[in-house]
Amino acid sequence: MSELLKRNPANPILSARDIPYDASLIFNAGICRYEGRYVMLFRNDYGSTEAEWRAARESGAYPRLSTNIGIAFSDDGIRWTPGPRPVFQLRDDEILRAYDPRLSVVDGQPVVCFAVDTRHGLRGGIAVTDDFETFRVVSLSVPDNRNMVLFPEKIGGNYMRLERPMPVYSRWGAPEQFDIWLSASPDLRFWGDSRLVLGAEKVPWAGSKIGPAAPPVRTPKGWLTTFHAVRASEASLPCWEREWHKEYLAGLMLLDLEDPSKIVGMAPEPLLEAREPYEREGFRGHVIFPGGMLLEPSGEVKIYYGAADTVECLATGSVDDLVAACLPR
């Protein structure tokens, strides 16, 4: 399926060397178009270098990383100019960090979904902004839920989000067999009417958890939707860390326009898997994680993805080809 997408020759399109403040790992970004330009919110893990991590592999005393969320702007979606400082960071006595932003614009309002590590579990958050300088947090879920992405328009009068709860104890001996769910909200704050969309067991080329990736885009045939899927590797994969045994791949499915809990079709093979050196080697090797997807007026689809938990990349394809890949033949 990888022939459906073409990796941008400029990849990686954003990395730590591009950032004008302390940065080590730039990845898992959310992207939108807003007021005539492209906007990217990216995860920045900082505070230790590749050399420090590799040296620590012998001692086991791993360096510490901190996290904030930075911003970058672009006129073409390819060449990016980072802002001078981070724009979003949560930390208090309970919250340890916010990360993995996902961006949607609903009724002209930019909305950010993000993950939050706390002292009592991993939560999913939602914030709104008008200027990408000030963010107002409107919702934090109970643990454990993450990978939330918001549909770019209301459906049946409600906001809709895909999410990935993490039911460790109730999956009967399958501790990472996580699935994709859908929830609805009248106001971004209160969420319910939750329904299963895709079970991990329905993705034959993965062997572990799945979850949402980039916010869906509307097509005449349905909501074009990426997801991430994980499969275990017996061999230790190239990484800065001591051990890494997981491959992250991108999948593709089409959801019903009126009821996105229903799958219209799903591509039978991965959409993207690690192939290039910048995808195979890094902080965590063999990791592909789409966080942004934009449909251009020309019919081109831009898919932005984190690679090896280290850099941000771009691949493009035809919306007609991607939709057709999801439909029965």
Side-chain angles (χ1 to χ4, degrees), residues 35-258:
E35 295 187 343
R37 59 181 174 174
Y38 296 82
V39 182
M40 175 192 292
L41 292 180
F42 57 85
R43 171 177 171 173
N44 170 35
D45 286 2
Y46 65 96
S48 57
T49 66
E50 176 181 357
E52 290 173 323
W53 275 91
R54 291 193 180 279
R57 293 176 66 168
E58 302 302 322
S59 66
Y62 288 148
R64 296 179 64 86
L65 282 170
S66 298
T67 303
N68 55 41
I69 294 174
I71 194 167
F73 300 97
S74 174
D75 292 326
D76 60 7
I78 300 172
R79 292 172 288 271
W80 293 87
T81 301
R85 62 187 68 85
V87 294
F88 188 70
Q89 187 171 23
L90 295 181
R91 188 172 179 86
D92 57 25
D93 290 343
E94 171 64 15
I95 295 175
L96 305 177
R97 62 172 183 166
Y99 56 101
D100 286 357
R102 305 287 180 259
L103 264 174
S104 300
V105 179
V106 187
D107 294 337
Q109 173 73 69
V111 186
V112 187
C113 297
F114 53 93
V116 184
D117 286 348
T118 79
R119 299 188 187 281
H120 294 88
L122 197 161
R123 306 172 70 183
I126 296 176
V128 296
T129 183
D130 295 315
D131 54 12
F132 291 99
E133 295 179 1
T134 302
F135 296 82
R136 180 170 63 91
V137 176
V138 296
S139 174
L140 288 174
S141 74
V142 297
D144 278 313
N145 202 348
R146 66 177 300 179
N147 297 137
M148 296 175 178
V149 299
L150 202 67
F151 284 74
E153 61 186 69
K154 294 179 182 177
I155 301 173
N158 286 320
Y159 296 94
M160 307 293 281
R161 77 183 183 196
L162 297 173
E163 57 195 4
R164 204 280 306 282
M166 303 163 70
V168 175
Y169 289 109
S170 59
R171 286 307 299 267
W172 306 109
E176 281 205 332
Q177 205 74 4
F178 306 145
D179 315 300
I180 298 174
W181 289 70
L182 176 81
S183 291
S185 172
D187 56 5
L188 290 178
R189 184 179 179 189
F190 297 103
W191 292 87
D193 192 24
S194 301
R195 288 163 279 170
L196 177 68
V197 176
L198 180 63
E201 73 280 359
K202 300 295 186 180
V203 184
W205 44 266
S208 184
K209 59 188 176 183
I210 63 171
V217 298
R218 173 186 273 275
T219 77
K221 300 288 187 180
W223 292 105
L224 191 64
T225 306
T226 57
F227 62 93
H228 73 272
V230 179
R231 64 186 180 202
S233 170
E234 293 184 3
S236 181
L237 299 169
C239 64
W240 302 3
E241 290 187 300
R242 182 189 300 272
E243 296 286 344
W244 178 246
H245 292 270
K246 296 178 184 179
E247 294 183 73
Y248 277 67
L249 308 91
L252 189 69
M253 61 183 172
L254 204 60
L255 303 179
D256 186 83
L257 289 175
E258 302 301 324

Side-chain angles (χ1 to χ4, degrees), residues 1 3-4 266-269 321-329:
M1 279 263 310
E3 67 272 8
L4 290 174
M266 183 170 64
E269 299 174 1
D321 291 345
L322 294 173
V323 168
C326 297
L327 296 176
R329 300 178 184 178

